[in-house]
Amino acid sequence: MEMMWMTKDEIRNESVAGTPVIIPFGTVEQHGGHLPVATDTLQAYGVAMRSAARTKVVVAPPVHYGQCSSTRNHPGTITISGDTLRSLVDDLIESFVHQGFKRIILFSGHAGRIHMSALRESAERAVRKDPSIRLAVACDLDLVRETAQELLRTPGDGHAGEIETSRMLYLHPDSVSEVPQEEYPAIPPYRVLPDPEKYWPGGVWGNPGAADEEKGKELIERSADALAKIVESLLE
Ligand SMILES: [Zn+2]
C-alpha cells in the first residue's frame, strides 16, 4: 500500500490491524554523468513498492535527503548532516508510533557509513525507550550483496556502477544516459579530506558498462523478496 495516496481512515485501519510500515530513505546525490541524483531514492522506493506486492505493508513517502560524504563537493549532491538525519528519524519513528504503527522498517537506498549509523542509532534509541516497538534497519546494497552476488561481474562495484546502472535501466530506463568508463575512487585510505572529489573526478565507483536491464530486474526483484521477508520477521 502506497501511503501517499491513502486517506486517514485507510491508514487508521492499517495501524489498528498492526500492519508494518517501510520508510524508504534516499539521497540527493551525484551518480556519475549517466544517472539522476534521485537514484538512491528511486531504487529504495521501487524495491519497497515491489515488496508491498508480496506482503502486506504500508510504504511511507520516501525521505529524499540523506547524508553524503565523499560526493559532497560533486555537482548535484545536496547533503544533510548525520545529526539532522538522526533528529528526523527520531521524529518520524515517534510520529508513526503515535499513530499506532509499532512495526517499522527503515530501508535505505544509500549505504554511506554516517548515513546508516544515523538510522541505526535512532532505531536503537526508539526500542530502548519503548521495548514494545519492533524495528528493523536495512540497506538496499546489503540485500543485493546477500541475494545476487553471483550475478555481478564487477568486484567492489558500489556507486553508479554495474549494480545501480542495471537497476535504473530496469526501473527508469529513460533516466539513464550514455554510460561512462569504469572508475574507482583513489582516495588515500584512512584520510579524511576536504576535497575527496579530486581523487574521484567522474563520481563512479564500479563499472557501469557491465550493466544491463535484465540484471537490473533480477537485482530489484531479489531485494524485494528479501525486504518482504524482513517485513514478515516483524510479525513473528
Ligand atoms: Zn546510489
Side-chain angles (χ1 to χ4, degrees):
M1 285 161 278
E2 196 170 20
M3 186 180 173
M4 66 170 95
W5 301 105
M6 293 166 71
T7 64
K8 70 180 177 63
D9 296 334
E10 288 166 347
I11 291 168
R12 179 76 188 142
N13 289 343
E14 296 311 323
S15 69
V16 168
T19 306
V21 177
I22 298 171
I23 311 176
F25 289 84
T27 54
V28 176
E29 185 181 32
Q30 76 78 16
H31 273 75
H34 62 304
L35 297 177
V37 293
T39 289
D40 289 347
T41 313
L42 292 166
Q43 289 177 91
Y45 202 66
V47 170
M49 284 307 300
R50 280 163 179 77
S51 77
R54 293 155 161 83
T55 193
K56 198 174 176 228
V57 66
V58 171
V59 179
V63 176
H64 283 265
Y65 292 89
Q67 195 283 333
C68 304
S69 292
S70 44
T71 64
R72 68 187 179 280
N73 298 330
H74 282 113
T77 296
I78 306 295
T79 182
I80 59 174
S81 68
D83 290 338
T84 300
L85 185 56
R86 262 188 297 276
S87 295
L88 177 64
V89 178
D90 287 347
D91 288 355
L92 290 177
I93 293 173
E94 190 179 315
S95 191
F96 271 102
V97 171
H98 180 66
Q99 288 288 341
F101 290 98
K102 299 196 91 176
R103 299 177 169 104
I104 301 168
I105 299 100
L106 311 179
F107 180 57
S108 181
H110 177 61
R113 269 184 286 190
I114 295 171
H115 178 92
M116 286 310 299
S117 78
L119 301 191
R120 183 154 283 280
E121 193 179 349
S122 289
E124 286 185 10
R125 222 181 263 176
V127 292
R128 273 204 302 270
K129 207 162 105 188
D130 180 354
S132 72
I133 304 173
R134 294 185 186 179
L135 264 159
V137 180
C139 172
D140 196 12
L141 190 62
D142 289 340
L143 300 189
V144 169
R145 296 214 168 107
E146 282 164 21
T147 62
Q149 193 64 49
E150 87 279 5
L151 300 179
L152 304 174
R153 276 166 43 194
T154 316
D157 188 88
H159 182 82
E162 179 183 0
I163 297 168
E164 292 196 303
T165 306
S166 296
R167 292 168 122 224
M168 289 298 279
L169 282 169
Y170 170 56
L171 290 174
H172 300 284
D174 293 344
S175 74
V176 183
S177 315
E178 195 185 332
V179 298
Q181 295 277 316
E182 186 170 18
E183 184 191 7
Y184 299 88
I187 299 167
Y190 307 110
R191 292 288 304 281
V192 178
L193 297 167
D195 51 2
E197 72 284 0
K198 277 193 189 155
Y199 303 87
W200 194 18
V204 167
W205 189 326
N207 184 12
D212 68 71
E213 184 188 338
E214 194 51 40
K215 192 184 309 180
K217 176 172 193 262
E218 201 58 32
L219 297 177
I220 291 288
E221 299 297 338
R222 290 192 195 186
S223 287
D225 286 339
L227 184 57
K229 283 191 191 121
I230 295 170
V231 170
E232 281 157 14
S233 76
L234 297 190
L235 297 168
E236 282 157 12

